[in-house]
Amino acid sequence: MEVATVLAAVLVAVGIVGIVLPVLPGLVCVVAGVAVWTVARGDAVAWVVLGIVVAIVVVGTVVKYLVPGRALRDSGVPGRTIAAGAVLGVIGFFVIPVIGLFIGFVLGIYLAELARLGGHDAAWPSTRRALAAVGWSIVIEMATGLLAAAVWVGALVFA
């Protein structure tokens, strides 16, 4: 049981770090860690904790896409601009590991808005709005991961 708990703690910690540094799927690692602990423990409390963690992650993931998406639609940033950012972000991830994702995303948004709006003075505010939306997405995902981890830690301490 102790080995499973340590493995679970490592997976949860890696998941939390993976939210900030998008190398690993953060929330998936958090759920996987709690699932390892649940299977090893095997009682009703563990399964309830896993169910709560999964529910938190599902709701957090939905909110993570809805809130920033609405902010982007309201600000007038088109979907193709976000797609250009995503494509250059993926390319950037392989060109410059870890930070290339962020750099490529920003560059993709900026270049798409530059092409769409025709100048730096118009493209930069749109780029900032898109970055703010992505920032909110990361904040929501981090809050989700930390809440899920707190539920698990609560079960470790009190159950």
Side-chain angles (χ1 to χ4, degrees):
M1 180 64 186
E2 291 81 23
V3 173
T5 303
V6 170
L7 178 60
V10 168
L11 282 169
V12 169
V14 166
I16 298 297
V17 170
I19 292 169
V20 178
L21 301 173
V23 178
L24 299 169
L27 294 178
V28 172
C29 288
V30 171
V31 170
V34 176
V36 165
W37 173 79
T38 298
V39 170
R41 183 166 165 153
D43 64 358
V45 170
W47 288 103
V48 168
V49 169
L50 179 61
I52 292 169
V53 166
V54 168
I56 290 168
V57 167
V58 167
V59 169
T61 301
V62 169
V63 170
K64 173 182 123 173
Y65 288 109
L66 288 180
V67 170
R70 174 170 284 159
L72 286 174
R73 278 193 309 278
D74 291 348
S75 69
V77 177
R80 67 181 176 273
T81 295
I82 302 303
V87 168
L88 278 179
V90 170
I91 292 169
F93 177 77
F94 291 106
V95 174
I96 309 168
V98 182
I99 64 167
L101 178 66
F102 179 74
I103 292 169
F105 181 77
V106 173
L107 184 62
I109 297 267
Y110 178 75
L111 291 175
E113 288 297 274
L114 188 64
R116 181 175 78 93
L117 299 172
H120 170 76
D121 292 336
W124 185 243
S126 292
T127 304
R128 281 195 352 251
R129 286 190 297 273
L131 290 176
V134 169
W136 275 111
S137 175
I138 293 169
V139 166
I140 292 166
E141 187 174 3
M142 179 59 79
T144 300
L146 290 174
L147 182 59
V151 168
W152 176 65
V153 169
L156 284 176
V157 172
F158 297 113

